[in-house]
Structures are given as structure tokens and as C-alpha cells.
Amino acid sequence: MATNLELSARLAQAPQRKTPALWQRVSLPWTITVTYLLIMLVLPITALFGKALTVSPAEFWRIATSDIALSAYDVTFFTSLAAGLINGVMGTLVAWVLVRYKFPGRKIVDAAVDLPFALPTAVAGLVLATVYRETGWIGQFFAPFGIKIAFTRLGVLIAMIFISFPFIVRTLQPVLQEMEKEAEEASWSLGATQVQTFFKVILPPLIPAILTGVALGFSRAVGEYGSVILISSSIPFKDLIAPVLVFQRLEAYDYGGATVIGTVLLLISLAMLFVINALQQWGRRYA
Amino acid sequence: MSILIENVEKHFGTYQALDNINLEVKDGSLIALLGPSGSGKSTLLRVIAGLESADSGRIYIDGEHATNLDVRRRNIGFVFQHYALFKHLTIRQNIAFGLEIRKSPKNETKARVEELLDLVQLQGLGDRYPSQLSGGQRQRVALARALAVKPQVLLLDEPFGALDAKVRKELRSWLRRLHDEFHVTSVFVTHDQEEAMEVADDIVIMNQGRIEQIGSPAAVYDNPSSSFVMSFIGPVNVLSRNTKLFKDGHANGGDLFIRPHDIEVLTNENGTAIPATVDRVIHLGWEVQVELLLEDRQLLTAHFGREKFDALNLQPGQSVFVKPKFTKVFGDSLAEPVAEPVAEPVA
């Protein structure tokens, strides 16, 4: 102890070392990370904002809040959110079955979950449009009830569900695999039924992972273009999504209009991701 | 409440985990299921709990036929090796879980939870989450959670297995005191013979799905019924039948079993004593372990108290004479030594 004290006393007396220059303090991995993010993420987004700023504020507001744009945001964000939530429920179920059930062909099903990632989205859109149109394999069962799927908002929803489905399964699987069976057994031994155990013991720790999956799926659906353009009729005020609207503006050489809507899309997405992130933090408060 | 197990069998595929188990646990007693891994002790505990079902046989809890009763209805408390606490609930919510499932009135639940926090000495930690507690504290929470619903029977599966040595010792003497106070019929599984001897009223020694012996700690130590029990409980020397030690008439039996503390070492020959050489001397604090090499190259481990050793003052390489005070021979032969003589003070 005495030597320690002496040592710290001597250290205190030692002349203060000069703080090294900034370039000496930054580490290589840090530099690479920052440069990479700058080139891949920050610059393109800055360019978008820069272009949008060339439009006068009044004009920006007029384009951003035009009826056609508002309707496109509505279709894009609410349909994406619905797709994310539906995947949240169904994806959880699929992940559960893939982790907990043993059945022939499980490995194949497990691998097939990733198909929406690998399939070109245009192919996905084409296939879905074929299957869900009024005479298609699935569409024909809904047509008699007057329910049209392809070329309506419902079709957009189906496409969004399809392309964002793997996210929730893949985020949840490792969490489910790590989950200890003993917590469930403890719950049963304390008198809880299977249903009570599911809602009180199994589900709560999964919420952060489910939210992450929903957030990823939602972001993917907001940005989706290729499959939606094929399954929707892209008629304004009906099933026109914002990304398609951006493209239509570009085709009309209205670059200002395209960037304004693109910027609004970006800001809303960012805000929603922050909210979901906060929810995740809250869901992880006990970790 | 008493537990009665009759002719219970359990297979996992072709593997027989439990082979004709008969056991009675008296009301208010604390017993240990002791055995090596794969001996079936945990399976037996899980069958009592209803977490596994027996292939055949019957189980009675408090005289009531419980063989086919769902785990939820057996009114047992179960404590797991890795605590199995609900990570997303606070300590209070964990303890209250069983009471809330039973829809007990809010104020009663609240009072009971505080009572249990007191009991497991975790007052003031009720609003923390399990991840903020140490292993020993978590296991106490698990115990409080199991006790909250006033179970008829408390079942503990290697409850101290995941804790470090010091906490383990503290917690097991605490568990024993807790049991002396409340007398909940308890069964706990362990592979640690010292733990079983310290905590349990009776020890059930299991091997390969069978019960080898049931008895008090002293009884199973002093009168082991098989070579397995003798080797599993406490350190022991196993000498093959060919050794010169067999001169005293055991020549036709199986292996010869001698506890390290049952060996006397003399510096001069005295009738029946056998010559040996001191190979190593290991100081273990208040006890000294001496490894002796017999003339036929078999190694014999002896333990002495410090005083005795100092009087003998043995040196490596010294020639001495060995005289076993107590030996045991079993009819069954031991396929392989279960426990090597260990450099560990005898409890």
C-alpha cells in the first residue's frame, strides 16, 4: 500500500505530458469508419437536402403539402406500418415455429424465408400481381366478394409484407434460440397456464427484438419501389406511393419536386426510426 | 408434506434414465439426491415436479396420487441451477408472480412479497432487475419466488451449482437454517458429496438410474453399501486384490477400500504392518497428505492431522510401515475407480 501511495505521489509531481495532437489521437479504425460513413451515407443525403434547398421555402411547402403528395405519404407510410405490424405478428409466429418445432423440411423452410431478399423485386411484383389479380390463384377467391387485391392499396400492402417479411424472422430467431426453457418451466411450476406463460414470460423479453424487426421491415417497405410499381395501378389518390411519385416527377423533368418529396420521405422515416429506437430502449430497460 | 415414489421408470429413447425407483421423503425433511452426472438425479426431481412424466410407476404427494397431475397443480416450488428468473420483471414482481397467477388479493400479495424479501435478506433490492444482482442474490430471489406460493414441497435442482465456492458455502448453511425454521419438505439435487452431507437429513445416492443407498450422512459414510457409494462419498484408496495388504484374510474378495484417514504409519515394523516408501508430502493447512508407495508400486494416500504428522516427521524417500486401521471389501467389483484419492482436506 505504501509503495502505491509513493508511486501516485511521484506521478502527481511528474510534469504533465503535453496532450498529443488530434491526428495522433485518432485511431485508424475510427478514421476509416468516419470516412466510410461520410462517403456512403452523409454526402448523398446532404446532396438531397442541398438540392431541396434550391427550392424556395414557400415553393417547398407548396409541393410538400400538395394533395397528391399528402395522399402518397398516406399510402406509403400507413401501408408500410401495417405491413410492419402484420409481419411483427406473423414473423414472430414463424420464427417461433422454426426454432421450437422439429418437422421434416424445416431446414428448407428456414432457408426459403430469405427468398424475398434474394428475389429481384420486379419479379416479386410480377408474381404477386399474377397471383392476386381477379383471375389469379388467390385473387379469384376474393373477387366474388368484391375484394380486389392487385392494383389497389391492398396489393401494395401484400407486396410490402412480402419484401419485408424476412427481417422480423431473422432478428427474432437468435433471440428465441437463446431463450432458456427454464423460465417457462418456472412459470408453470408457479401455476401459470401455457397462455399465461406466453404473455407474461415469453413475449415481454422478445418485444425489443420484435420492434427491431418491425422497424427494419417498415423502413424497407417505405423504400420499396420495384414490386409495388408492378402490383399497383399507381393512380394518384388511390394506390400511388411516394417513391413512385418521386419517379413520376423525375420523368417530367421536375427535379425540384422530386427532391422535395424525397426529403419529406427521409425526414418522416428518420423521425419514425427515432421513435422505434426509443421504444426499443424502453423495452430493454431491464437488460 | 410427504412424497412417496413407487416403482418409477423413465426412458429417453433407449437410454434408461430411471430404473425402478422407490423412495419415501418424510414430511418436513430435507433430503439430497446425490450422484454423478447422468445418474438420473435431476430426472427424478423433474419427475417429482411433473416437468417430466414417468413411463411407469406412481408418485404420491401428501398421500394424494399425483402421477398424472399437471405441474401447475402439484403445488411445488422449483428452484433451478441457473435461477430462471424472469429478466423483464423486478425482484418484487418476480416474487409476486405465483401469487398474481393465483389472483390473491393485492394487499396480501404485497405483504407476502415484503415478508419474503425480508426472509431472503434482500430488503431494499425489490425494485431492481435480476441482471443487477449477484448470483447468490439471484438464487435467493428464485427461492423466495418458489416459497411465495407456500408450496407443499420444495424441489431444488443443483441450486448452488452456478455459484462460486464461497457464496455456495454461505448459501447452503443459510438454506439449512431456513429449512430448520420452516420445515418445508425439500428435495435437492447435487453432485457434491460435501454439500449433501452438510445440508441434508438423508442422502439418496444414485448411480446409472438406480438408487444405490439411502441413509443419513454419517450412515452412508460409515457403512457404504457398495463400492460405488464408498468411492463417491469421501476420498478413498482402492487397492487391487493382489496387494500384500490382503494378508489379513480378504484375499478372495474384490478390491480393497481404505479411507486416507484410516491409515496408520509406523517408523518401525510391528507385526502385521506393510513396508512402504514415502513418495510425496503435501501440506494442506491443518492436514497433511502423504503419498506412500507400496512394494508392488501401488500408491496409497494417507491423511494426518498436523500434530500427528509433526510427531512422525516423514520425509520423501523415507522407508516406513503401513497399517490400515479399517478396510472394506465389497462383493461387487468396481469397473473403474469413481473417485481418485484427492488432494483435498476431508470434510
Side-chain angles (χ1 to χ4, degrees):
Chain A
M1 200 59 214
T3 52
N4 269 346
L5 280 175
E6 280 168 33
L7 191 67
S8 51
R10 225 180 301 150
L11 277 176
Q13 285 164 5
Q16 286 283 315
R17 272 239 225 103
K18 226 182 97 195
T19 320
L22 183 72
W23 64 269
Q24 281 174 317
R25 274 182 289 148
V26 295
S27 71
L28 193 60
W30 188 86
T31 315
I32 294 173
T33 304
V34 169
T35 314
Y36 186 78
L37 288 180
L38 204 68
I39 297 171
M40 300 302 293
L41 203 65
V42 181
L43 282 181
I45 290 172
T46 313
L48 175 67
F49 281 127
K51 182 76 187 169
L53 287 176
T54 59
V55 180
S56 74
E59 182 67 2
F60 187 105
W61 185 252
R62 193 189 60 76
I63 300 171
T65 59
S66 64
D67 288 346
I68 186 167
L70 288 179
S71 150
Y73 306 146
D74 168 48
V75 176
T76 302
F77 287 103
F78 283 99
T79 318
S80 297
L81 197 63
L85 294 176
I86 292 170
N87 275 337
V89 176
M90 295 312 292
T92 304
L93 186 71
V94 171
W96 177 262
V97 168
L98 285 178
V99 170
R100 286 296 178 91
Y101 288 54
K102 303 277 167 269
F103 54 90
R106 187 177 66 94
K107 286 241 162 79
I108 297 168
V109 176
D110 195 16
V113 165
D114 282 333
L115 267 184
F117 280 168
L119 205 64
T121 50
V123 177
L126 200 62
V127 169
L128 291 174
T130 312
V131 171
Y132 282 98
R133 66 167 191 238
E134 273 169 84
T135 51
W137 288 354
I138 299 174
Q140 60 179 331
F141 297 109
F142 290 91
F145 303 101
I147 302 170
K148 281 179 70 179
I149 298 175
F151 313 114
T152 67
R153 236 178 123 153
L154 212 53
V156 177
L157 177 69
I158 300 278
M160 284 176 168
I161 290 175
F162 180 82
I163 50 103
S164 63
F165 176 70
F167 280 109
I168 183 88
V169 180
R170 290 296 178 239
T171 17
L172 215 54
Q173 260 178 333
V175 184
L176 280 173
Q177 262 150 5
E178 260 174 48
M179 207 171 206
E180 38 174 19
K181 187 96 171 72
E182 289 184 345
E184 287 163 58
E185 292 181 339
S187 168
W188 300 335
S189 77
L190 290 164
T193 61
Q194 300 271 3
V195 176
Q196 283 172 321
T197 301
F198 180 78
F199 284 105
K200 284 172 182 281
V201 173
I202 299 171
L203 192 59
L206 294 181
I207 295 289
I210 293 176
L211 284 175
T212 306
V214 168
L216 288 171
F218 166 76
S219 321
R220 177 76 183 77
V222 166
E224 178 56 13
Y225 175 82
S227 61
V228 174
I229 196 156
L230 284 162
I231 202 175
S232 77
S233 54
S234 296
I235 297 170
F237 307 108
K238 187 187 164 208
D239 58 1
L240 178 68
I241 57 165
V244 176
L245 179 63
V246 172
F247 190 72
Q248 287 176 351
R249 286 287 141 91
L250 287 176
E251 278 186 321
Y253 303 105
D254 178 10
Y255 297 122
T259 42
V260 167
I261 295 165
T263 307
V264 173
L265 273 182
L266 186 77
L267 291 175
I268 300 178
S269 295
L270 213 59
M272 295 192 77
L273 287 178
F274 273 126
V275 170
I276 294 177
N277 247 309
L279 276 174
Q280 279 173 8
Q281 288 297 325
W282 174 80
R284 260 191 211 112
R285 65 202 177 282
Y286 47 81
Chain B
M1 309 294 154
S2 63
I3 306 170
L4 187 64
I5 296 159
E6 281 179 358
N7 309 319
V8 162
E9 307 248 341
K10 173 79 184 171
H11 293 81
F12 291 113
T14 54
Y15 174 72
Q16 183 151 28
L18 294 176
D19 183 1
N20 194 25
I21 300 288
N22 287 282
L23 176 66
E24 189 186 350
V25 183
K26 291 199 188 69
D27 185 22
S29 66
L30 172 55
I31 71 153
L33 301 180
L34 175 67
S37 52
S39 61
K41 55 193 193 303
S42 280
T43 307
L44 179 56
L45 193 78
R46 291 171 63 84
V47 166
I48 298 173
L51 291 170
E52 304 278 357
S53 60
D55 295 342
S56 60
R58 285 162 165 268
I59 294 159
Y60 298 88
I61 296 176
D62 193 24
E64 202 184 318
H65 186 212
T67 317
N68 299 318
L69 213 56
D70 190 84
V71 51
R72 300 195 293 126
R73 311 220 171 279
R74 291 200 190 188
N75 200 15
I76 50 117
F78 203 100
V79 175
F80 297 84
Q81 179 175 3
H82 298 288
Y83 330 124
L85 293 178
F86 307 132
K87 296 189 195 84
H88 60 291
L89 300 179
T90 63
I91 302 313
R92 256 195 198 90
Q93 289 167 330
N94 263 282
I95 298 174
F97 188 89
L99 297 165
E100 275 164 12
I101 291 288
R102 283 167 174 69
K103 305 231 180 327
S104 95
K106 277 227 162 59
N107 52 343
E108 272 177 40
T109 302
K110 205 162 172 260
R112 178 83 180 135
V113 168
E114 294 309 316
E115 189 185 317
L116 280 154
L117 278 173
D118 262 6
L119 183 73
V120 297
Q121 297 154 13
L122 292 173
Q123 311 93 323
L125 297 183
D127 293 323
R128 300 230 182 142
Y129 287 100
S131 61
Q132 296 167 303
L133 265 53
S134 71
Q137 290 173 326
R138 285 184 214 185
Q139 198 55 296
R140 296 210 298 261
V141 174
L143 205 58
R145 182 179 67 179
L147 289 172
V149 295
K150 299 194 171 152
Q152 292 180 303
V153 172
L154 186 62
L155 305 170
L156 309 102
D157 192 1
E158 299 261 9
F160 315 120
L163 305 169
D164 63 56
K166 187 166 171 289
V167 178
R168 198 178 331 175
K169 280 203 168 211
E170 282 168 16
L171 210 54
R172 69 195 191 200
S173 65
W174 177 79
L175 177 71
R176 180 66 232 189
R177 272 181 277 125
L178 190 78
H179 183 266
D180 290 339
E181 209 173 316
F182 293 97
H183 301 290
V184 185
T185 309
S186 307
V187 180
F188 81 102
V189 160
T190 179
H191 62 265
D192 180 344
Q193 45 102 5
E194 198 183 313
E195 188 168 289
M197 296 185 84
E198 185 182 324
V199 179
D201 296 324
D202 279 311
I203 300 179
V204 177
I205 296 151
M206 295 188 66
N207 183 31
Q208 295 179 336
R210 256 180 283 232
I211 292 179
E212 290 269 344
Q213 191 173 0
I214 305 173
S216 69
V220 292
Y221 188 84
D222 294 340
N223 295 305
S225 65
S226 65
S227 54
F228 174 83
V229 174
M230 178 127 194
S231 309
F232 198 74
I233 301 217
V236 73
N237 289 289
V238 185
L239 296 180
S240 86
R241 66 186 71 185
N242 302 323
T243 180
K244 285 196 167 192
L245 287 166
F246 279 88
K247 271 181 186 164
D248 56 353
H250 291 304
N252 296 323
D255 294 331
L256 187 67
F257 289 74
I258 313 162
R259 299 274 191 212
H261 52 76
D262 282 334
I263 294 169
E264 207 175 338
V265 169
L266 310 165
T267 43
N268 60 328
E269 184 164 13
N270 186 1
T272 55
I274 301 138
T277 316
V278 176
D279 190 44
R280 282 178 66 191
V281 174
I282 302 159
H283 289 268
L284 302 168
W286 57 275
E287 208 183 33
V288 181
Q289 177 172 321
V290 179
E291 287 175 6
L292 301 153
L293 211 52
L294 300 183
E295 282 185 328
D296 60 359
R297 311 299 297 167
Q298 290 203 74
L299 206 62
L300 195 63
T301 301
H303 286 168
F304 301 103
R306 197 58 189 265
E307 264 175 48
K308 182 84 189 286
F309 177 81
D310 287 346
L312 285 165
N313 191 25
L314 298 173
Q315 302 293 333
Q318 187 179 345
S319 291
V320 291
F321 297 91
V322 172
K323 190 176 178 183
K325 286 181 278 189
F326 180 80
T327 63
K328 208 157 165 76
V329 175
F330 297 97
D332 60 340
S333 71
L334 201 63
E336 51 190 304
V338 176
E340 300 270 314
V342 280
E344 186 181 47
V346 185

